[in-house]
Amino acid sequence: MSESIYASIINNYISESVQSVSAINSGHINTSFIVEADDRYVLQRLDQDIFGVHLTRIENNYLRYRQACLEAYPNQDEWVCPEWLKNTDGEFFSTDDEGGIWRMYRYIPGDEYSADPGYDEMRKIGVGLGRLHRILSSCAKESYSAVLPHLFDLNYYFKEYLKQ
C-alpha cells in the first residue's frame, strides 16, 4: 500500500502535518502504524475477514469501556483512557478503496518492563491491573457484546478438540 493511501486515511482523521508513518511490527491480527504529527497516533488496519462484520460490536464495547474508564478516573492523571478519533464523516471506522477497514487513535505512551521484572516493576504492573479491574468491574456485563465468542477461551477449544 502506498504512502498516498496512508495519507488519505490519516487526513480523514486529522488535519495535522504528518512527519512520518512507521509500522509497528508486533501485531498478529491487525496491521498498526505509529503516525508522527503534531501529536502521536496509532493508525490501525483491522483484519477485514475477522472483524469486518463486527464493527458495531467493537464500537459499542469501546464506548462502554471509555465511559467506565472516565467515570473511574475522570482527571486522567492515574489512568489514560483510550481515545479513538472520529473521521470527517463522524465515524470511528474508515474504508479504503480496497475495502480495508481503518481506525485511528491517540498514542498512549507506556512503561516497558523486562521479561524478568523485579519487585518495583511487578508492583507497577499490579497497580495497573488493579485499576483495569476497577474499571471493568463497574461495567454492566450485559451492555457488552462478544465480538468473537471464545476468542481466548482455551478451555472451550480444548473441549472442542476432545469431541473430535
Side-chain angles (χ1 to χ4, degrees), residues 96-120:
D96 63 28
D97 293 338
E98 299 170 6
I101 302 166
W102 296 84
R103 67 180 168 194
M104 192 167 175
Y105 47 94
R106 292 189 185 283
Y107 175 82
I108 300 174
D111 297 328
E112 291 186 23
Y113 297 106
S114 65
D116 185 21
Y119 176 80
D120 289 339

Side-chain angles (χ1 to χ4, degrees), residues 77-155:
D77 288 339
E78 295 177 273
W79 189 266
V80 179
C81 299
E83 182 184 353
W84 289 7
L85 303 180
K86 289 190 175 184
N87 61 28
T88 55
D89 294 329
E91 303 292 331
F92 287 118
F93 301 102
S94 295
T95 306
D96 63 28
D97 293 338
E98 299 170 6
I101 302 166
W102 296 84
R103 67 180 168 194
M104 192 167 175
Y105 47 94
R106 292 189 185 283
Y107 175 82
I108 300 174
D111 297 328
E112 291 186 23
Y113 297 106
S114 65
D116 185 21
Y119 176 80
D120 289 339
E121 289 179 325
M122 289 300 293
R123 185 181 172 288
K124 288 178 184 177
I125 293 168
V127 167
L129 187 58
R131 289 179 180 158
L132 178 62
H133 282 223
R134 176 180 175 203
I135 293 165
L136 295 176
S137 68
S138 72
C139 300
K141 185 177 180 180
E142 61 276 359
S143 68
Y144 287 87
S145 50
V147 174
L148 300 171
H150 310 294
L151 178 61
F152 295 109
D153 187 350
L154 296 179
N155 192 36

